[in-house]
Amino acid sequence: MFDYRLVAVCPHTGARAGELVTPHGVIETPVFMPVGTQATVKAMTPEELVELGAQIILSNTYHLYLRPGADLVAEAGGLHRFMRWQGPILTDSGGFQVFSLSALRQISDEGVTFRSHRDGSSHFMTPELSVAVQEKLGGDIAMCFDECVPWPTTAEEADRAVSRTTAWARRCLEAHGREDQALFAIVQGSVFEPLRLRSASELIELDFPGYAIGGLSVGESHDAMYRILDVLNPVLPRHKPRYLMGVGFPTNLVEGIARGVDMFDCVLPSRNGRNGTLFTSSGRMNIKGSRFERDFGPLDEACDCYVCRNYSRAYVRHLHRSGEILGARLCTWHNLHFLVHLVRKARKAIIDGSFPDFRRRFLEHFMEGAYLT
Amino acid sequence: MFDYRLVAVCPHTGARAGELVTPHGVIETPVFMPVGTQATVKAMTPEELVELGAQIILSNTYHLYLRPGADLVAEAGGLHRFMRWQGPILTDSGGFQVFSLSALRQISDEGVTFRSHRDGSSHFMTPELSVAVQEKLGGDIAMCFDECVPWPTTAEEADRAVSRTTAWARRCLEAHGREDQALFAIVQGSVFEPLRLRSASELIELDFPGYAIGGLSVGESHDAMYRILDVLNPVLPRHKPRYLMGVGFPTNLVEGIARGVDMFDCVLPSRNGRNGTLFTSSGRMNIKGSRFERDFGPLDEACDCYVCRNYSRAYVRHLHRSGEILGARLCTWHNLHFLVHLVRKARKAIIDGSFPDFRRRFLEHFMEGAYLT
């Protein structure tokens, strides 16, 4: 029911093209996964996600556990039916949100007591509960409950978190029973190479069908992120998918792919889109800028998405300045299309044998952009 | 370029079915016009409006005059191109908003000095400026700049406003030059029958291609509204379209049609939709209610819109409780579909000769609804 097949490997970098088989379809990797935190990719319908080329989406266990609750989603027939997304779904474990969003009350080897960021209600999350919730949600891929340390952190704290993450991964594996759901482990260890290697080695021993790299893109430099990816690339099992969590800035995607990453997710394209910030082939820009007031050209000349084919910068600017929902919709749409297709183009280049060229040209062009921040 | 043809008349009521020919297509009347205040029907794309059956939309001169400005819209090629709506557009005159939204500074026979509700900037609106702005926007139908008195008002005030509305209508007619744009007059007179009759008679003398009824649905009772419609129905020219401004509650639409109205507009379906309040065949309901928590049926069993075919009450409730844009989108979509198709069904009944039956059954069923407010 699950399989990962290598289709092509770049001879000059770590880039890989593959196919990830799931119960809801085959995913061509590398892949960018739009985030549907509350059982909806903000502002988008499932049809629109299909139209822009999304293959798999991510949803958040922490949020769905709090509202509407996993039992209700299960009653609706699972997350696919509840939100009408027919492709594969990955659910995170809730670990990241428990550690970053909620008021943390107590962490022990057993689990985490936390207060909801919404209503202050108290909850006790354990590896077993996270798995049970994810089984009820019924995503194609579930994630182990891990301990996410903030950045910066000490080597001692990161070391303790690695040990706990391994112990919890073992408990998740034992608790997990759904055969139509793959359970991925999450490598932790902050920016400390020896800890990352220990974390990877302990988890690989447990033989998961896929491995995520967590705890990056949390404030450390891009160089630190790339260094960790370089360390893990030769170590992670070649015939299993690798997922870099929470990373979505265009240059990071291309550099991640060059370091063997197969899967990405990030709220950036939708969050930026709602705010009028756009990714384009020549950098990042905010459509509210006065220089777009009478600009009747498309958002991105090089883009063929629904928005760029049909709407002008002047109109989209007007929508954003007027606080119109359609402005948020159109910019979210374009940004998701941009990232999904950036990764698709990278895949094509890997298969064509031209990935190093693609990487160089994309970075040059994107960095050239007058609006890059 | 403009024409109104009567297709069928109900022998028992004042209901009429017709065809209104415009440069951007033939409108089958009676018709409900979704409102696109700021050059966008809130939360909807043009394609979605076509899919739900919208034939013509309305946009607001007051808002577009203030932002992005009529010159910019003209530079974009007019409102149709700016917002990508290929069907007919009606622009109001700005009169209603000047009198209801802005800080009014001074009204004279010449025009109105007002302050923008947004930034407090000072403006002087005259009949000639309203026409000039509407010509730049380039809608298929423009409206005369009128004086809208609040409700309740005295007969003396309403009388003065009728006189001024007639004088301004004459100036609008003189100022108006676009041959591809029809200019409609607006009958005022509040709830006073003699004033309504005087207003209508003075405007009919000026021979406009269409007549609107303004100043209703502003706080007066439904009975008062119906009484005014009953008085105007035999007086307004039979072979010209009649437009009841700002009315969109389902029962009012059906009763307006029974009294000879051909065109309606209202922000109610979209404003209610964003708030989770839905029109259904059995009344009005708010989807956020806890009774819908585990209700996996459609919003309205009797509806075949995109939303009712695809989404459950439980899911739409979850979206609204979570403040998700998709919730606003889906409820706006359903409400617009509901009103557009309610009026379409009325038209079919008029042509079939079954309008009195249709009217009785709709009102009974809608009033029966447990959720009616």
Side-chain angles (χ1 to χ4, degrees), chain A residues 292-296 314-315 317-318, chain B residues 68-78 82 136:
Chain A
F292 303 123
E293 184 174 6
R294 292 178 136 74
D295 184 338
F296 299 109
Y315 181 62
R317 175 176 186 270
H318 165 69
Chain B
D71 287 331
L72 189 146
V73 174
E75 260 183 68
F82 185 57
K136 284 178 186 170

mmCIF file of all heavy atoms in Angstrom, chain A residues 292-296 314-315 317-318, chain B residues 68-78 82 136:
data_model
loop_
_atom_site.group_PDB
_atom_site.id
_atom_site.type_symbol
_atom_site.label_atom_id
_atom_site.label_comp_id
_atom_site.label_asym_id
_atom_site.label_seq_id
_atom_site.Cartn_x
_atom_site.Cartn_y
_atom_site.Cartn_z
ATOM 1 N N PHE A 292 2.573 49.577 -8.181
ATOM 2 C CA PHE A 292 1.679 48.708 -8.954
ATOM 3 C C PHE A 292 0.323 49.355 -9.226
ATOM 4 O O PHE A 292 -0.548 48.742 -9.831
ATOM 5 C CB PHE A 292 1.480 47.374 -8.228
ATOM 6 C CG PHE A 292 2.775 46.653 -7.962
ATOM 7 C CD1 PHE A 292 3.137 46.293 -6.669
ATOM 8 C CD2 PHE A 292 3.633 46.340 -9.004
ATOM 9 C CE1 PHE A 292 4.335 45.634 -6.420
ATOM 10 C CE2 PHE A 292 4.835 45.692 -8.770
ATOM 11 C CZ PHE A 292 5.188 45.335 -7.471
ATOM 12 N N GLU A 293 0.163 50.608 -8.788
ATOM 13 C CA GLU A 293 -1.165 51.242 -8.862
ATOM 14 C C GLU A 293 -1.758 51.200 -10.269
ATOM 15 O O GLU A 293 -2.942 50.923 -10.437
ATOM 16 C CB GLU A 293 -1.072 52.703 -8.396
ATOM 17 C CG GLU A 293 -2.439 53.375 -8.361
ATOM 18 C CD GLU A 293 -2.369 54.778 -7.769
ATOM 19 O OE1 GLU A 293 -1.268 55.269 -7.502
ATOM 20 O OE2 GLU A 293 -3.449 55.375 -7.579
ATOM 21 N N ARG A 294 -0.950 51.497 -11.280
ATOM 22 C CA ARG A 294 -1.444 51.527 -12.659
ATOM 23 C C ARG A 294 -0.744 50.468 -13.514
ATOM 24 O O ARG A 294 -0.583 50.641 -14.724
ATOM 25 C CB ARG A 294 -1.239 52.920 -13.250
ATOM 26 C CG ARG A 294 -2.123 53.960 -12.577
ATOM 27 C CD ARG A 294 -1.921 55.363 -13.111
ATOM 28 N NE ARG A 294 -3.199 56.029 -13.319
ATOM 29 C CZ ARG A 294 -3.964 56.501 -12.330
ATOM 30 N NH1 ARG A 294 -3.597 56.362 -11.089
ATOM 31 N NH2 ARG A 294 -5.120 57.088 -12.606
ATOM 32 N N ASP A 295 -0.339 49.391 -12.869
ATOM 33 C CA ASP A 295 0.370 48.312 -13.569
ATOM 34 C C ASP A 295 -0.664 47.264 -13.990
ATOM 35 O O ASP A 295 -1.152 46.491 -13.168
ATOM 36 C CB ASP A 295 1.417 47.724 -12.617
ATOM 37 C CG ASP A 295 2.276 46.663 -13.283
ATOM 38 O OD1 ASP A 295 1.834 46.082 -14.309
ATOM 39 O OD2 ASP A 295 3.380 46.404 -12.783
ATOM 40 N N PHE A 296 -0.970 47.260 -15.287
ATOM 41 C CA PHE A 296 -2.039 46.375 -15.756
ATOM 42 C C PHE A 296 -1.517 45.036 -16.280
ATOM 43 O O PHE A 296 -2.227 44.282 -16.925
ATOM 44 C CB PHE A 296 -2.898 47.109 -16.807
ATOM 45 C CG PHE A 296 -3.553 48.348 -16.233
ATOM 46 C CD1 PHE A 296 -3.133 49.621 -16.601
ATOM 47 C CD2 PHE A 296 -4.564 48.234 -15.290
ATOM 48 C CE1 PHE A 296 -3.714 50.761 -16.046
ATOM 49 C CE2 PHE A 296 -5.161 49.362 -14.728
ATOM 50 C CZ PHE A 296 -4.732 50.629 -15.105
ATOM 51 N N ALA A 314 -2.728 45.875 -10.924
ATOM 52 C CA ALA A 314 -3.508 47.026 -10.442
ATOM 53 C C ALA A 314 -4.791 46.545 -9.758
ATOM 54 O O ALA A 314 -5.181 47.061 -8.704
ATOM 55 C CB ALA A 314 -3.850 47.954 -11.606
ATOM 56 N N TYR A 315 -5.452 45.549 -10.335
ATOM 57 C CA TYR A 315 -6.706 45.063 -9.746
ATOM 58 C C TYR A 315 -6.434 44.316 -8.441
ATOM 59 O O TYR A 315 -7.119 44.538 -7.433
ATOM 60 C CB TYR A 315 -7.433 44.165 -10.749
ATOM 61 C CG TYR A 315 -8.746 43.630 -10.228
ATOM 62 C CD1 TYR A 315 -9.781 44.506 -9.899
ATOM 63 C CD2 TYR A 315 -8.950 42.262 -10.058
ATOM 64 C CE1 TYR A 315 -10.995 44.031 -9.411
ATOM 65 C CE2 TYR A 315 -10.152 41.774 -9.572
ATOM 66 C CZ TYR A 315 -11.172 42.662 -9.254
ATOM 67 O OH TYR A 315 -12.365 42.189 -8.766
ATOM 68 N N ARG A 317 -3.931 44.673 -6.484
ATOM 69 C CA ARG A 317 -3.558 45.695 -5.502
ATOM 70 C C ARG A 317 -4.804 46.356 -4.921
ATOM 71 O O ARG A 317 -4.919 46.526 -3.699
ATOM 72 C CB ARG A 317 -2.673 46.752 -6.161
ATOM 73 C CG ARG A 317 -2.342 47.919 -5.244
ATOM 74 C CD ARG A 317 -1.389 48.901 -5.915
ATOM 75 N NE ARG A 317 -0.993 49.932 -4.967
ATOM 76 C CZ ARG A 317 -1.648 51.084 -4.796
ATOM 77 N NH1 ARG A 317 -2.715 51.349 -5.516
ATOM 78 N NH2 ARG A 317 -1.220 51.954 -3.896
ATOM 79 N N HIS A 318 -5.730 46.738 -5.801
ATOM 80 C CA HIS A 318 -6.982 47.364 -5.332
ATOM 81 C C HIS A 318 -7.717 46.435 -4.360
ATOM 82 O O HIS A 318 -8.210 46.876 -3.315
ATOM 83 C CB HIS A 318 -7.867 47.699 -6.543
ATOM 84 C CG HIS A 318 -9.285 47.993 -6.190
ATOM 85 N ND1 HIS A 318 -9.662 49.125 -5.497
ATOM 86 C CD2 HIS A 318 -10.425 47.283 -6.394
ATOM 87 C CE1 HIS A 318 -10.974 49.111 -5.307
ATOM 88 N NE2 HIS A 318 -11.462 48.002 -5.843
ATOM 89 N N PRO B 68 -10.520 52.648 -6.439
ATOM 90 C CA PRO B 68 -9.212 53.203 -6.833
ATOM 91 C C PRO B 68 -9.331 54.495 -7.631
ATOM 92 O O PRO B 68 -8.309 55.006 -8.052
ATOM 93 C CB PRO B 68 -8.659 52.100 -7.729
ATOM 94 C CG PRO B 68 -9.858 51.529 -8.395
ATOM 95 C CD PRO B 68 -10.964 51.604 -7.388
ATOM 96 N N GLY B 69 -10.535 55.030 -7.815
ATOM 97 C CA GLY B 69 -10.714 56.235 -8.626
ATOM 98 C C GLY B 69 -11.184 55.868 -10.020
ATOM 99 O O GLY B 69 -10.763 54.866 -10.597
ATOM 100 N N ALA B 70 -12.086 56.710 -10.565
ATOM 101 C CA ALA B 70 -12.696 56.391 -11.861
ATOM 102 C C ALA B 70 -11.680 56.459 -12.996
ATOM 103 O O ALA B 70 -11.782 55.707 -13.973
ATOM 104 C CB ALA B 70 -13.864 57.342 -12.132
ATOM 105 N N ASP B 71 -10.689 57.343 -12.895
ATOM 106 C CA ASP B 71 -9.700 57.445 -13.968
ATOM 107 C C ASP B 71 -8.889 56.162 -14.096
ATOM 108 O O ASP B 71 -8.609 55.699 -15.203
ATOM 109 C CB ASP B 71 -8.763 58.638 -13.722
ATOM 110 C CG ASP B 71 -9.469 59.963 -13.987
ATOM 111 O OD1 ASP B 71 -10.392 59.972 -14.830
ATOM 112 O OD2 ASP B 71 -9.122 60.959 -13.339
ATOM 113 N N LEU B 72 -8.520 55.589 -12.962
ATOM 114 C CA LEU B 72 -7.755 54.349 -13.009
ATOM 115 C C LEU B 72 -8.592 53.231 -13.641
ATOM 116 O O LEU B 72 -8.096 52.461 -14.471
ATOM 117 C CB LEU B 72 -7.298 53.944 -11.601
ATOM 118 C CG LEU B 72 -6.315 52.783 -11.559
ATOM 119 C CD1 LEU B 72 -5.319 52.973 -10.415
ATOM 120 C CD2 LEU B 72 -7.016 51.436 -11.395
ATOM 121 N N VAL B 73 -9.873 53.154 -13.265
ATOM 122 C CA VAL B 73 -10.732 52.118 -13.855
ATOM 123 C C VAL B 73 -10.855 52.340 -15.363
ATOM 124 O O VAL B 73 -10.799 51.388 -16.152
ATOM 125 C CB VAL B 73 -12.123 52.108 -13.176
ATOM 126 C CG1 VAL B 73 -13.059 51.138 -13.882
ATOM 127 C CG2 VAL B 73 -11.991 51.739 -11.696
ATOM 128 N N ALA B 74 -10.990 53.617 -15.771
ATOM 129 C CA ALA B 74 -11.080 53.917 -17.210
ATOM 130 C C ALA B 74 -9.791 53.506 -17.924
ATOM 131 O O ALA B 74 -9.823 52.919 -19.007
ATOM 132 C CB ALA B 74 -11.360 55.406 -17.413
ATOM 133 N N GLU B 75 -8.642 53.791 -17.302
ATOM 134 C CA GLU B 75 -7.349 53.379 -17.877
ATOM 135 C C GLU B 75 -7.255 51.867 -18.042
ATOM 136 O O GLU B 75 -6.617 51.370 -18.977
ATOM 137 C CB GLU B 75 -6.207 53.805 -16.947
ATOM 138 C CG GLU B 75 -5.495 55.063 -17.362
ATOM 139 C CD GLU B 75 -4.348 55.342 -16.406
ATOM 140 O OE1 GLU B 75 -3.367 54.576 -16.393
ATOM 141 O OE2 GLU B 75 -4.459 56.330 -15.641
ATOM 142 N N ALA B 76 -7.857 51.148 -17.107
ATOM 143 C CA ALA B 76 -7.830 49.679 -17.175
ATOM 144 C C ALA B 76 -8.739 49.170 -18.293
ATOM 145 O O ALA B 76 -8.760 47.971 -18.573
ATOM 146 C CB ALA B 76 -8.254 49.082 -15.843
ATOM 147 N N GLY B 77 -9.498 50.081 -18.912
ATOM 148 C CA GLY B 77 -10.403 49.664 -19.982
ATOM 149 C C GLY B 77 -11.844 49.599 -19.519
ATOM 150 O O GLY B 77 -12.683 48.997 -20.185
ATOM 151 N N GLY B 78 -12.117 50.202 -18.361
ATOM 152 C CA GLY B 78 -13.483 50.191 -17.829
ATOM 153 C C GLY B 78 -13.657 49.090 -16.799
ATOM 154 O O GLY B 78 -12.810 48.213 -16.630
ATOM 155 N N PHE B 82 -11.535 45.753 -15.829
ATOM 156 C CA PHE B 82 -10.811 45.871 -14.559
ATOM 157 C C PHE B 82 -11.120 44.673 -13.665
ATOM 158 O O PHE B 82 -10.219 44.051 -13.105
ATOM 159 C CB PHE B 82 -11.204 47.183 -13.871
ATOM 160 C CG PHE B 82 -10.443 47.484 -12.604
ATOM 161 C CD1 PHE B 82 -9.060 47.561 -12.598
ATOM 162 C CD2 PHE B 82 -11.118 47.715 -11.413
ATOM 163 C CE1 PHE B 82 -8.356 47.858 -11.435
ATOM 164 C CE2 PHE B 82 -10.427 48.012 -10.247
ATOM 165 C CZ PHE B 82 -9.039 48.072 -10.259
ATOM 166 N N LYS B 136 -17.095 56.997 -16.890
ATOM 167 C CA LYS B 136 -15.738 56.439 -16.874
ATOM 168 C C LYS B 136 -15.742 54.974 -16.446
ATOM 169 O O LYS B 136 -14.994 54.163 -16.972
ATOM 170 C CB LYS B 136 -14.843 57.248 -15.920
ATOM 171 C CG LYS B 136 -14.401 58.581 -16.507
ATOM 172 C CD LYS B 136 -13.571 59.375 -15.519
ATOM 173 C CE LYS B 136 -13.272 60.769 -16.078
ATOM 174 N NZ LYS B 136 -12.682 61.655 -15.064
#
